[in-house]
Amino acid sequence: MFEHKKHPLLPFPLFLVRMLRYFFYSILLISFSLLLGMAGYHFTAGLSWFDSLYNASMILTGMGPVTELTTSQAKVFASVYALFSGIAFLSTVAVFFAPIVHRFMHIMHLESDNS
């Protein structure tokens, strides 16, 4: 997936292509998480699709719930979705920054080999 530490550093234009690809992967993770939350809020809490989008977006970004949930089923979903959202957010950040961290580590390794 990434070049080995013994290989030369990836040229910057190809690195930008890699960053774009990983940005796309991050968008897919966010979209999947948002759609999962929307469906859950719509079917468990009976919210409209717009309200479901609003609630799922707020939970996914860590802002907190918006609509008061009345059923136990909706509250259980909201709890599980909140836990999932924390993991999904951290995973998305990790996917997005992986090429940057790898490039930095590769540069540091190349510099230590030249010393």
Side-chain angles (χ1 to χ4, degrees), residues 1-74:
M1 188 167 269
F2 293 131
E3 62 276 3
H4 190 267
K5 65 182 181 179
K6 295 180 181 177
H7 294 143
L9 192 63
L10 191 67
F12 192 70
L14 293 177
F15 172 71
L16 291 178
V17 170
R18 177 182 287 169
M19 282 298 301
L20 187 62
R21 187 172 63 238
Y22 277 76
F23 175 73
F24 178 71
Y25 295 153
S26 298
I27 295 297
L28 284 176
L29 279 170
I30 293 278
S31 299
F32 172 75
S33 300
L34 192 58
L35 288 172
L36 184 69
M38 286 174 60
Y41 278 114
H42 181 73
F43 294 115
T44 62
L47 299 177
S48 71
W49 285 108
F50 289 116
D51 289 337
S52 296
L53 171 65
Y54 187 40
N55 268 297
S57 298
M58 295 299 278
I59 291 290
L60 193 57
T61 58
M63 301 298 286
V66 178
T67 306
E68 186 175 339
L69 304 175
T70 55
T71 65
S72 297
Q73 180 181 357

Side-chain angles (χ1 to χ4, degrees), residues 19-20 22-24 26 29 91-101:
M19 282 298 301
L20 187 62
Y22 277 76
F23 175 73
F24 178 71
S26 298
L29 279 170
S91 300
T92 302
V93 170
V95 166
F96 181 74
F97 283 110
I100 297 169
V101 171

Side-chain angles (χ1 to χ4, degrees), residues 5-7 106-115:
K5 65 182 181 179
K6 295 180 181 177
H7 294 143
H106 197 148
I107 289 170
M108 296 303 288
H109 186 267
L110 289 177
E111 288 177 3
S112 68
D113 282 349
N114 292 335
S115 303

